[in-house]
Amino acid sequence: MVGIILASHGEFAEGILQSGAMIFGEQENVKAITLMPSEGPEDVKAKMKTAIASFDDQEEVLFLVDLWGGTPFNQANTLFEEHKEKWAIVAGMNLPMVIEAYASRLSMTSAQEIAASIIETAKDGVKVKPEELEPKETKAAASQTSSVGAPGKMKYVLVRIDSRLLHGQVATTWTKTTGPTRIIVVSDTVAQDELRKKLIQQAAPPGVKAHVVPVDQMIKIANDEEHFGNERALLLFENPQDVLRAVKGGVPFHEINVGSMAHSIGKVQPNKVLALDQKDIDTFKELKESGISFDVRKVPGDSKANMDGIIKRAQEELNKQK
């Protein structure tokens, strides 16, 4: 696996390492290198050498640095000179760049290949409001993402239950690994909330449109054979009850990624990210009887948890409360 050095003036690198872990999960072979006010160039170089020595593969190293020409860049560059056939340096580090680098490691084994692949994502992560301030070419590119109109039914790259709906882990990791053209939040409640709808649409990653539709509208879209043949949809549900309605209405998917269900009064928490009540348990059982399988994990890099075991523990905890 390609090793990654995050390097910055001050504690920026430590902060972006923590932010990346929150969104993409803890990462192996990634180190944060900081240049503190009391330190000099040789201190940074020594830290970088120690970090690289800890990597599983020291032949493939990618440096993500904050500023071109700054001390972290310069010290990375002195090390790079002896490995320029394989290593790479990218300056202008931001969180979309880091997440893209993490995701790229799942399919790429070359530091230079990853470096080339993350540039556009880093640029696309820079946006401005009001939109009128965006450069004209940026707005023009964003307007060319629609693929509605082709004959055929919509395809589903991921169906996820997540009480937070569209947030960082979905907008980066899952979008990167599944490649949707559209993210669709399926919820009667959210469809009636104009503020939440607007926030969800604004949270869509570059090149992907986000929509909010009621469950009945999603069923109509799923059965439309005339207009969505080019569409690859990532569906987000708040709860299993809405999923069951969609399944009964004919939305054709066979697996659900169960990512997060928030705790509330009357629910028990059989693991760190899922909270269930009796209604949830009964609904998951009915979904299983309908032929639906469950992929229980927050991010693609997590190990899959056993849904049957989670339901059993939740039922036992609820029975104790009676």
Side-chain angles (χ1 to χ4, degrees), residues 8 79 91 97 123 138 172 178 181 197 208 216 247 249 308 318:
S8 71
L79 298 174
M97 175 194 293
K123 292 179 180 178
T138 302
T172 54
T178 59
T181 58
K197 283 172 62 176
V208 181
D216 287 345
V247 169
D308 289 337
L318 285 171

Side-chain angles (χ1 to χ4, degrees), residues 90-102:
V90 181
M93 176 171 59
N94 62 15
L95 188 54
M97 175 194 293
V98 172
I99 296 301
E100 184 73 11
Y102 289 171

Side-chain angles (χ1 to χ4, degrees), residues 5-9 13 31-34 48 64-67 72 93:
I5 297 287
L6 310 176
S8 71
H9 296 77
K31 296 292 183 181
I33 303 300
T34 59
M48 288 179 173
L64 305 182
V65 302
D66 57 354
L67 186 65
M93 176 171 59

Side-chain angles (χ1 to χ4, degrees), residues 138-208:
T138 302
K139 291 189 286 186
S143 68
Q144 296 175 1
T145 59
S146 175
S147 56
V148 174
K153 287 188 175 184
M154 181 176 289
K155 300 176 179 63
Y156 304 96
V157 297
L158 183 74
V159 179
R160 179 178 171 92
I161 296 175
D162 191 329
S163 56
R164 294 184 293 169
L165 295 172
L166 180 51
H167 56 93
Q169 290 172 345
V170 175
T172 54
T173 17
W174 286 109
T175 299
K176 171 65 178 178
T177 55
T178 59
T181 58
R182 306 235 169 213
I183 296 173
I184 304 177
V185 170
V186 186
S187 168
D188 293 350
T189 302
V190 182
Q192 297 174 3
D193 188 327
E194 291 301 320
L195 177 59
R196 290 185 73 186
K197 283 172 62 176
K198 186 174 182 179
L199 291 174
I200 286 169
Q201 290 165 352
Q202 292 176 346
V208 181

Side-chain angles (χ1 to χ4, degrees), residues 60 62 86 88 104 107-118:
E60 296 288 348
L62 172 63
K86 290 191 174 183
S104 297
S107 59
M108 300 178 185
T109 59
S110 161
Q112 295 188 357
E113 184 183 12
I114 293 173
S117 74
I118 65 178

Side-chain angles (χ1 to χ4, degrees), residues 66-298:
D66 57 354
L67 186 65
W68 187 275
T71 297
F73 169 83
N74 290 337
Q75 297 311 305
N77 197 35
T78 61
L79 298 174
F80 165 80
E81 285 300 317
E82 296 181 4
H83 304 271
K84 59 177 61 179
E85 291 184 1
K86 290 191 174 183
W87 290 11
I89 307 172
V90 181
M93 176 171 59
N94 62 15
L95 188 54
M97 175 194 293
V98 172
I99 296 301
E100 184 73 11
Y102 289 171
S104 297
R105 292 200 303 175
L106 300 175
S107 59
M108 300 178 185
T109 59
S110 161
Q112 295 188 357
E113 184 183 12
I114 293 173
S117 74
I118 65 178
I119 301 300
E120 288 304 316
T121 298
K123 292 179 180 178
D124 288 341
V126 180
K127 295 182 178 294
V128 63
K129 290 191 72 68
E131 287 83 355
E132 290 75 16
L133 301 178
E134 288 275 5
K136 292 182 179 180
E137 60 270 19
T138 302
K139 291 189 286 186
S143 68
Q144 296 175 1
T145 59
S146 175
S147 56
V148 174
K153 287 188 175 184
M154 181 176 289
K155 300 176 179 63
Y156 304 96
V157 297
L158 183 74
V159 179
R160 179 178 171 92
I161 296 175
D162 191 329
S163 56
R164 294 184 293 169
L165 295 172
L166 180 51
H167 56 93
Q169 290 172 345
V170 175
T172 54
T173 17
W174 286 109
T175 299
K176 171 65 178 178
T177 55
T178 59
T181 58
R182 306 235 169 213
I183 296 173
I184 304 177
V185 170
V186 186
S187 168
D188 293 350
T189 302
V190 182
Q192 297 174 3
D193 188 327
E194 291 301 320
L195 177 59
R196 290 185 73 186
K197 283 172 62 176
K198 186 174 182 179
L199 291 174
I200 286 169
Q201 290 165 352
Q202 292 176 346
V208 181
K209 294 277 184 132
H211 309 272
V212 180
V213 300
V215 178
D216 287 345
Q217 181 65 24
M218 187 65 235
I219 292 171
K220 292 179 181 178
I221 292 171
N223 290 308
D224 188 324
E225 299 184 3
E226 301 296 327
H227 303 101
F228 298 101
N230 287 339
E231 295 291 347
R232 293 166 48 83
L234 189 161
L235 304 188
L236 296 173
F237 292 85
E238 286 186 289
N239 56 66
Q241 290 75 38
D242 285 348
V243 175
L244 183 60
R245 284 178 57 198
V247 169
K248 288 183 175 181
V251 182
F253 54 83
H254 304 288
E255 182 179 74
I256 304 167
N257 168 233
V258 186
S260 174
M261 292 177 62
H263 188 273
S264 61
I265 296 174
K267 294 197 174 192
V268 296
Q269 197 157 350
N271 73 359
K272 292 182 178 180
V273 296
L274 300 182
L276 311 176
D277 57 19
Q278 191 62 55
K279 186 178 180 182
D280 296 327
I281 291 174
D282 294 340
T283 303
F284 277 122
K285 289 181 177 178
E286 191 170 351
L287 284 166
K288 183 177 180 180
E289 291 170 359
S290 301
I292 300 295
S293 60
F294 305 109
D295 171 11
V296 186
R297 50 183 173 154
K298 288 177 63 177

